[in-house]
Amino acid sequence: MQLPARPHPRDGLREPVYETLARKTGGSPAELHAMTGQLVALGAEEGLAYDFDRAVSVNTFDAHRLSHLARLHGLGAQMHERLMRAHLVEGELVDDVETLVRLGTDVGVPADKVRQVLTGDAFAADVREDIREAQALGVTGVPFFVLNRAYGVSGAQPVDNLLSALRTADAASSPAAR
């Protein structure tokens, strides 16, 4: 599969998250609200106020490039969290350059560096490689957890399912299993 050289945010479409989910899953509005309702409830337990009614699906190529830049500044985890909160809690358009500059500076990435990356092609090859690797691992959506580069867990799973997968991956990687 040939990946685009550098998709522009306008190349993707902006649409409400529920429309994207309906297109991808074929689920009914009631099913989708039930599914996201579970995520909202899980998020609330962790102090997160997910708002899928405000969330808009966009092309996140540039947001991923910003994440690569943030990693260079030792702020990768903070940038990831800020982008997720902006997208899923605040309803921000994370394909907009000015929004991304603001979000980058929120976590400490210099605005001039963010703008330089977003107006050029920096980290585009890195993001394309991330996409290729995800495709090779069978990732088709998010969240998707890869454990020991051998086990995949797709979707938001109950804690017991994730714990079981972690135990399986750990057991398989122990010296006794080799």
Side-chain angles (χ1 to χ4, degrees):
M1 174 175 155
Q2 182 68 25
L3 297 172
R6 178 176 177 257
H8 189 276
R10 287 183 293 275
D11 292 344
L13 69 132
R14 289 178 174 174
E15 67 182 358
V17 164
Y18 287 117
E19 289 180 25
T20 302
L21 290 172
R23 189 170 28 79
K24 287 183 176 184
T25 67
S28 71
E31 291 168 329
L32 297 173
H33 279 82
M35 177 182 72
T36 56
Q38 291 174 337
L39 292 175
V40 169
L42 288 170
E45 290 176 14
E46 299 299 322
L48 300 170
Y50 291 135
D51 188 349
F52 289 98
D53 291 326
R54 289 178 49 195
V56 177
S57 293
V58 298
N59 181 322
T60 59
F61 194 87
D62 283 344
H64 283 86
R65 293 190 318 121
L66 173 55
S67 289
H68 277 273
L69 172 65
R71 274 188 229 123
L72 285 183
H73 290 270
L75 298 166
Q78 295 91 326
M79 189 76 257
H80 176 78
E81 288 298 318
R82 184 64 187 103
L83 287 165
M84 295 300 288
R85 186 175 75 229
H87 175 61
L88 296 173
V89 174
E90 300 164 359
E92 297 267 12
L93 296 173
V94 295
D95 66 344
D96 176 75
V97 170
E98 294 307 316
T99 299
L100 291 172
V101 170
R102 179 174 43 80
L103 297 174
T105 60
D106 283 355
V107 301
V109 181
D112 61 326
K113 299 293 184 192
V114 175
R115 195 172 304 284
Q116 181 180 8
V117 163
L118 297 177
T119 58
D121 287 329
F123 303 108
D126 299 281
V127 174
R128 285 192 301 276
E129 181 56 31
D130 291 344
I131 293 168
R132 277 192 278 285
E133 184 176 348
Q135 289 171 336
L137 291 168
V139 176
T140 58
V142 293
F144 191 94
F145 305 94
V146 177
L147 311 172
N148 288 347
R149 304 198 60 75
Y151 298 92
V153 181
S154 181
Q157 297 286 327
V159 172
D160 289 341
N161 289 10
L162 289 174
L163 186 57
S164 175
L166 287 167
R167 286 182 175 139
T168 299
D170 182 57
S173 68
S174 71
R178 294 184 198 133

